[in-house]
Amino acid sequence: MEALPGYSTINLDGMKDVVSNTNTVNVTSTKGGLSKYLTTYMPGQRKEDAAFYAQCTKKALESDAPFVGEEPTVLEKNTFVRKTYAGICADNVVYMRNSQRLVLAAYGFLFAIGCITHILDLLCEDIAKVSEIGDLLANALKLIKFVRSHPRIRAQFDALRKQHGVSQNLRIVPATRFCYALLTILSVNVSKAVFTFMLMSDEYPAYTASIEAATTAAIRVVVTDANFWRQCSSFISLITPIVCALHFSEGDSMVCSWVYILYVAMLNDAKKWANDDIVFSADTREFVVNAVIGRWKGNPATGKVGICSEVHIFAYCTNPFLMPGDQPFDQHIMNELTPSMNNIFRKFTTAPARLAELHQAFTNYVTRLIQAIAEECSILWKENCF
């Protein structure tokens, strides 16, 4: 969340402990852009549902409270949490989102958002599973597994790789981290010459003599397919900006007010790729652009989660250093998304007249900010400052 002076954010992430092979809940706090590990909760025999994660969140929120003596009152808890925390962040699976609602029922003044990095990985998964791109990844994995599965071929491949100055090893996409599809395709693409020389080598027939003919034939089809290599290059140009955005979003420098700009940049890159690409079909290119849009808006009817949150929009609109006049500040933000600002204003007041006043003040502020920046840009342009 935005680095509010003196305020922290609680972050929850469920994962499997590799030693005990049990699920755990790791809790961290973020303050001023710096993260700190707080604790790990072990569910034991408890069911991992929304109630469990809500309980973990509440414990974390109240853990550093300077309470003395008996169980603190609700007022004491509220006072401490209000002074200490700005909000909570967690994965976007259903029970995590439901747990946030349970926490907000107790601490309604907190902001709650889903993990952007997680959603961007889901976007990579959406793209990776479209038919043409899925086939591309399957063929790339076919090459990698072929090399890795046969010791003599692997030794020959590594020798050729060093001979041709290729330092990158072949990489496989982890089952739950689709953003690494980029590394998989990159590792294959930079080794194009290595695969070609491997097939042309004098040793290759002997090394593959014991392998089924259908397997070696399938490998030769992929390596000699010019369209496969063109698709590799095109996929790299498509997915690289999204993966860069993903890794930037998980860093300590990321703040809420940059989320919308990050999305606009990704969407523009996806549209440019769709316009320039001549390798993939029109249906695939259209799907990719719609996938980026879909992971912004989300779809409650299908359970698809999106990045868009009134918190991100509010932070973007009220950060004058981001110069919204310099971005494609879509009118739909003012027409469709700003009414949801009341979700933010209700954290401070529930009086209808005051809500209307705050909403109007927000609209006026954003309108004046855009106009002022446009005027300043016009003046600077006339003075040849750009």
Side-chain angles (χ1 to χ4, degrees):
M1 285 197 173
E2 202 78 24
L4 297 173
Y7 286 87
S8 299
T9 302
I10 287 289
N11 314 291
L12 269 77
D13 189 17
M15 59 186 64
K16 178 161 287 189
D17 182 78
V18 294
V19 177
S20 63
N21 197 34
T22 57
N23 292 334
T24 64
V25 183
N26 288 342
V27 185
T28 60
S29 69
T30 305
K31 183 176 181 179
L34 299 176
S35 295
K36 179 180 75 172
Y37 169 78
L38 292 182
T39 187
T40 297
Y41 294 113
M42 309 287 287
Q45 299 301 314
R46 281 211 52 182
K47 182 180 180 181
E48 292 183 80
D49 55 11
F52 169 73
Y53 283 100
Q55 184 184 57
C56 293
T57 307
K58 290 177 183 178
K59 282 184 179 179
L61 289 168
E62 300 161 5
S63 61
D64 291 334
F67 301 136
V68 179
E70 299 178 357
E71 174 69 18
T73 65
V74 172
L75 178 60
E76 287 175 323
K77 291 180 180 179
N78 271 268
T79 301
F80 170 75
V81 174
R82 185 185 289 273
K83 288 182 178 179
T84 310
Y85 293 102
I88 53 179
C89 178
D91 274 347
N92 302 278
V93 292
V94 174
Y95 52 80
M96 282 287 198
R97 299 203 304 272
N98 289 338
S99 75
Q100 289 186 331
R101 296 188 184 98
L102 293 175
V103 174
L104 293 184
Y107 298 115
F109 47 82
L110 293 174
F111 296 109
I113 59 174
C115 176
I116 299 169
T117 305
H118 179 230
I119 297 178
L120 292 180
D121 190 64
L122 292 175
L123 171 59
C124 292
E125 181 177 356
D126 294 339
I127 293 172
K129 288 186 174 180
V130 68
S131 179
E132 275 187 294
I133 296 177
D135 291 344
L136 171 67
L137 281 170
N139 282 328
L141 289 171
K142 185 187 298 181
L143 295 183
I144 294 172
K145 291 176 180 178
F146 176 76
V147 170
R148 287 187 170 189
S149 299
H150 303 92
R152 289 198 297 176
I153 291 176
R154 182 169 188 167
Q156 183 196 30
F157 186 90
D158 287 341
L160 287 170
R161 184 168 57 82
K162 292 175 182 177
Q163 180 181 334
H164 291 277
V166 178
S167 59
Q168 189 169 354
N169 292 320
L170 296 175
R171 304 288 293 272
I172 290 182
V173 187
T176 59
R177 294 291 182 270
F178 282 86
C179 64
Y180 291 109
L182 171 62
L183 292 182
T184 296
I185 297 298
L186 271 173
S187 69
V188 170
N189 197 52
V190 297
S191 299
K192 176 182 178 181
V194 179
F195 279 107
T196 301
F197 282 110
M198 180 185 75
L199 264 61
M200 295 170 58
S201 69
D202 294 335
E203 299 84 359
Y204 185 74
Y207 291 166
T208 58
S210 61
I211 302 173
E212 290 186 5
T215 299
T216 55
I219 295 300
R220 185 173 294 276
V221 167
V222 175
V223 174
T224 57
D225 182 5
N227 194 57
F228 168 77
W229 299 107
R230 285 194 291 267
Q231 286 188 339
C232 284
S233 297
S234 180
F235 177 79
I236 291 168
S237 66
L238 160 66
I239 210 71
T240 296
I242 297 174
V243 173
C244 287
L246 182 151
H247 289 303
F248 178 72
S249 72
E250 66 182 350
D252 289 338
S253 300
M254 184 64 182
V255 291
C256 277
S257 56
W258 295 352
V259 172
Y260 177 68
I261 291 178
L262 204 64
Y263 162 71
V264 169
M266 284 192 303
L267 180 58
N268 286 343
D269 286 335
K271 287 181 176 178
K272 185 178 186 306
W273 172 84
N275 288 332
D276 296 346
D277 178 76
I278 57 173
V279 180
F280 291 101
S281 68
D283 287 344
T284 295
R285 299 196 301 271
E286 182 182 4
F287 177 92
V288 167
V289 173
N290 288 334
V292 176
I293 295 172
R295 282 300 175 186
W296 170 256
K297 295 180 177 180
N299 188 341
T302 61
K304 175 177 282 191
V305 291
I307 298 172
C308 184
S309 163
E310 59 264 18
V311 178
H312 300 138
I313 299 300
F314 184 82
Y316 169 73
C317 293
T318 54
N319 189 337
F321 299 102
L322 293 181
M323 297 181 66
D326 191 41
Q327 294 289 330
F329 192 83
D330 297 332
Q331 190 62 34
H332 80 266
I333 287 187
M334 296 300 294
N335 294 340
E336 299 176 20
L337 295 178
T338 51
S340 66
M341 291 304 111
N342 282 338
N343 293 334
I344 290 180
F345 300 145
R346 286 193 188 96
K347 296 182 182 295
F348 307 99
T349 180
T350 56
R354 183 59 176 156
L355 285 173
E357 184 179 337
L358 288 172
H359 182 76
Q360 189 59 52
F362 170 75
T363 303
N364 293 343
Y365 167 79
V366 174
T367 302
R368 286 199 304 271
L369 182 62
I370 295 174
Q371 291 173 345
I373 290 173
E375 291 172 2
E376 290 176 6
C377 288
S378 178
I379 293 171
L380 292 171
W381 186 272
K382 289 179 181 178
E383 296 298 326
N384 295 317
C385 294
F386 291 118

